[in-house]
Amino acid sequence: MENLIKGQRLALSGLVTGNVVQLGLAAAGVPLDFACFGLDAAGKLSDDRYMTFFNQPRTPCGGVETRVPSGDAAGFSYQLERLPASIERLVVTAAIDGAASMAQLGNGYLRLLDGGSELARFAFAGSDFAQEKAVMLGEFYRKDSGWRFMAVGQGFNGGLDALVAHFGGIVAQAAPEPVAAKISLSKISLTKAGQMHKVSLEKGAGAPGKLTVKATWVDNGDGDDDNDDLDLRVGILLLNGQMRFIQAPDTPGSFDAMPYVRHLGDVAGASGKEPATETVEVNPALAQHYGGTVGLVFSVYSALANGAVSVASMRPKMVMQYGQQIVECDFDFRLSKAAGDDTVYTYVIGMARITPDSILLEPSGKTSEPGSEATPWLSWQGENLQLAFNGPVVFKGEAKEDEDDFNADNPRRYIA
């Protein structure tokens, strides 16, 4: 085991025997929040999904996860080969949430482990700092087609939100109502069914021109490249109870005309190093165009033709952005009874109620019944949305001609 000093560098290629590096952290005297920032070649957090911390515990590729080694207070697990080429550095930070400063710390340490064996340790203490409220403890960086680690120990004025801003991330504030979710520094993250977040729609010339919704998923890890394909689908509930349906490539919709929702294109699948993303743009004036409140249901669908695989194994989530307001629906349904069932084809990521003044977003966590091709169908329950899996079957491509047989006994139909 090697004791590192500030600025010392360590090549990992000759030390790590497997493909996992663990990092353990601990400090006494002052509670700390630890985070890991995945930075690009410019030293910026160009993709905020690569900020790993308590409220976003895993990168989309699985290269970084919050995981505490035995005996430590906090920690991360790294599979560095999974990271996309755009991530050049991983900076491990600690920050104080409160009135204290780093000078009030007792003894602390950062240590690297391989399979439970300690490789190196970097010790720090309050005497190393002054009135800083954050510190960059260490970083992994690419060098000569491999990865190295450097002990940093650099104090930083401001807390964790100042670090986020330093690395180019967005520091978002929670809307005053209704919020029942933990606030992320870069987004609002909704992780449980029943949570809601209200996004205010701006008015005037400077208002954002679109509402963007992105669904992402990762490779399921089974080594098969043909079954990592999900389809982002959108159902639109009108005031009269009728519904429209958006899916690429057959019914991509339109942004400036009916239905005022546009799918930007089908993505075939995820790879081992890069997650897949499908994107939908929603016209913020949707409610005005329809003459009142509109309901939206966002779901991902795994076609049987792509190969039997559970939707949960691809960890789908969605991020909605309107200007500087970012809300993530990241309900983890891997522990539900439907999670391991490869005959469950549809998972509802989120639902939104859009009025002329606001968007009320909530995660769902609901799935279709095993073996069912039914789509999620919304109805009004007063001012609230009611979800059921009894909508008509929708296929794409050559399979579309089979829809009529599946829908013969279902009175529900999507309108054009």
Side-chain angles (χ1 to χ4, degrees), residues 229-285:
D229 183 12
L230 295 178
D231 294 323
L232 172 60
R233 297 168 148 189
V234 186
I236 307 170
L237 174 63
L238 313 184
L239 282 170
N240 62 5
Q242 293 181 310
M243 287 195 70
R244 288 191 162 101
F245 186 85
I246 300 298
Q247 174 182 268
D250 299 321
T251 52
S254 174
F255 185 81
D256 295 314
M258 285 292 178
Y260 299 101
V261 178
R262 175 177 58 197
H263 199 302
L264 298 190
D266 189 23
V267 174
S271 70
K273 290 186 176 293
E274 192 68 29
T277 302
E278 289 195 5
T279 303
V280 167
E281 292 180 343
V282 180
N283 192 314

Side-chain angles (χ1 to χ4, degrees), residues 101-125:
S101 68
M102 286 292 173
Q104 296 171 258
L105 278 174
N107 293 324
Y109 65 80
L110 173 155
R111 63 179 187 139
L112 298 178
L113 302 100
D114 174 33
S117 299
E118 187 169 341
L119 303 174
R121 178 179 290 236
F122 173 52
F124 57 90

Side-chain angles (χ1 to χ4, degrees), residues 13-144:
S13 58
L15 292 176
V16 179
T17 58
N19 62 352
V20 178
V21 180
Q22 291 180 292
L23 187 144
L25 297 155
V30 177
L32 297 178
D33 291 327
F34 296 99
C36 180
F37 292 84
L39 308 180
D40 59 21
K44 297 300 182 182
L45 183 69
S46 55
D47 186 338
D48 64 7
R49 297 174 302 167
Y50 283 84
M51 176 184 172
T52 310
F53 66 127
F54 64 89
N55 204 31
Q56 188 165 262
R58 185 181 187 273
T59 61
C61 64
V64 185
E65 291 188 77
T66 55
R67 186 169 299 174
V68 183
S70 177
D72 298 319
F76 299 92
S77 176
Y78 298 90
Q79 297 185 62
L80 299 171
E81 79 284 352
R82 290 191 173 189
L83 290 166
S86 58
I87 302 298
E88 293 279 346
R89 298 164 54 203
L90 297 167
V91 179
V92 181
T93 68
I96 295 171
D97 183 13
S101 68
M102 286 292 173
Q104 296 171 258
L105 278 174
N107 293 324
Y109 65 80
L110 173 155
R111 63 179 187 139
L112 298 178
L113 302 100
D114 174 33
S117 299
E118 187 169 341
L119 303 174
R121 178 179 290 236
F122 173 52
F124 57 90
S127 58
D128 299 325
F129 309 107
Q131 298 306 306
E132 299 99 326
K133 296 178 71 66
V135 59
M136 290 180 272
L137 294 172
E139 72 171 68
F140 296 91
Y141 63 98
R142 295 183 190 268
K143 179 73 172 179
D144 298 331

